[in-house]
Amino acid sequence: MNKVIILNGPNLNLLGEREKNQYGSVTLGNIEKKCKEFGEKNNLSVSFYQSNIEGELVEKIQSSRNEFKGIIINAGGYTHTSVAIHDALKIVKIPIIELHISNIYNREEFRHKSLISRVATGVICASGTLGQIIPPSIVLIILADQLSNAADVANNMRRAEYREATGQGVMPSEFEVVSASAVSYTHLT
């Protein structure tokens, strides 16, 4: 089973309470539950970690380098200020997804600069907590060469979205992903 860790930085423990217009009303606990459920259905072990302390995040990044196949990180405010987190991420030799629940480029100018982006494999700026729910699939896509079940995971996600969007139980075959190397994630809605 492949292991992924989702790291959350300062103030993300207050999701559901803070700036609901930016972040929505879903709590970090709800997001963790959904990500772990996704992992269980797709042979992916998902670990969650949150800290308001920069040094604790650095230590978790360092200790993750030999245990996990990928890191998803929402460093919160440290995205824009932490050279230490940047340097720790630079050391690990596994895929890194930088995640933001909101679009940082539609916010205050000081949030437009990320010290993490240069060391990340990919960046996701989402609208609301959706960005916290789908990243394990993105890591699977990045790891497609190493994961034999990447196409299956993508198809399971597409089928669920198709059912939700159309109310129909069977997704047409033209929406199926046939090769892990061709996996991409797009919303059907």
Side-chain angles (χ1 to χ4, degrees):
M1 179 177 291
N2 290 293
K3 296 171 71 174
V4 174
I5 187 163
I6 301 175
L7 302 174
N8 293 281
N11 299 314
L12 292 169
N13 57 312
L14 297 178
L15 285 176
E17 296 178 40
R18 64 181 284 242
E19 299 179 78
K20 290 183 181 183
N21 61 324
Q22 284 291 336
Y23 304 114
S25 59
V26 176
T27 68
L28 191 60
N30 298 135
I31 295 165
E32 179 177 3
K33 181 181 175 199
K34 287 187 180 284
C35 288
K36 286 185 174 185
E37 287 171 358
F38 173 90
E40 288 172 11
K41 292 176 186 173
N42 294 287
N43 197 32
L44 178 70
S45 174
V46 178
S47 296
F48 238 74
Y49 182 79
Q50 188 278 327
S51 179
N52 293 320
I53 301 170
E54 183 180 29
E56 290 178 0
L57 289 166
V58 168
E59 287 179 357
K60 185 54 90 171
I61 292 164
Q62 290 175 353
S63 68
S64 297
R65 74 186 185 282
N66 297 319
E67 184 179 353
F68 297 96
K69 296 283 188 183
I71 295 174
I72 300 166
I73 182 166
N74 182 344
Y78 290 139
T79 299
H80 321 290
T81 63
S82 180
V83 173
I85 289 175
H86 167 275
D87 289 350
L89 290 168
K90 196 173 180 180
I91 293 167
V92 301
K93 302 299 181 209
I94 57 177
I96 300 162
I97 301 294
E98 175 186 358
L99 171 69
H100 301 284
I101 296 173
S102 63
N103 183 344
I104 62 173
Y105 302 102
N106 283 340
R107 300 191 61 199
E108 303 93 339
E109 190 169 328
F110 70 87
R111 295 185 193 273
H112 297 186
K113 178 183 173 188
S114 167
L115 298 181
I116 295 172
S117 293
R118 288 188 179 258
V119 295
T121 310
V123 178
I124 300 170
C125 290
S127 176
T129 52
L130 173 66
Q132 287 280 22
I133 295 168
I134 64 168
S137 64
I138 303 300
V139 171
L140 282 176
I141 291 164
I142 291 168
L143 296 172
D145 291 338
Q146 300 168 17
L147 300 174
S148 61
N149 67 335
D152 292 336
V153 170
N155 282 325
N156 288 341
M157 292 175 61
R158 288 175 156 220
R159 286 183 197 108
E161 282 194 344
Y162 185 82
R163 280 192 301 274
E164 188 174 317
T166 65
Q168 298 176 8
V170 179
M171 181 176 73
S173 60
E174 61 264 22
F175 290 121
E176 294 281 330
V177 174
V178 294
S179 166
S181 62
V183 172
S184 64
Y185 181 81
T186 55
H187 287 287
L188 296 173
T189 58

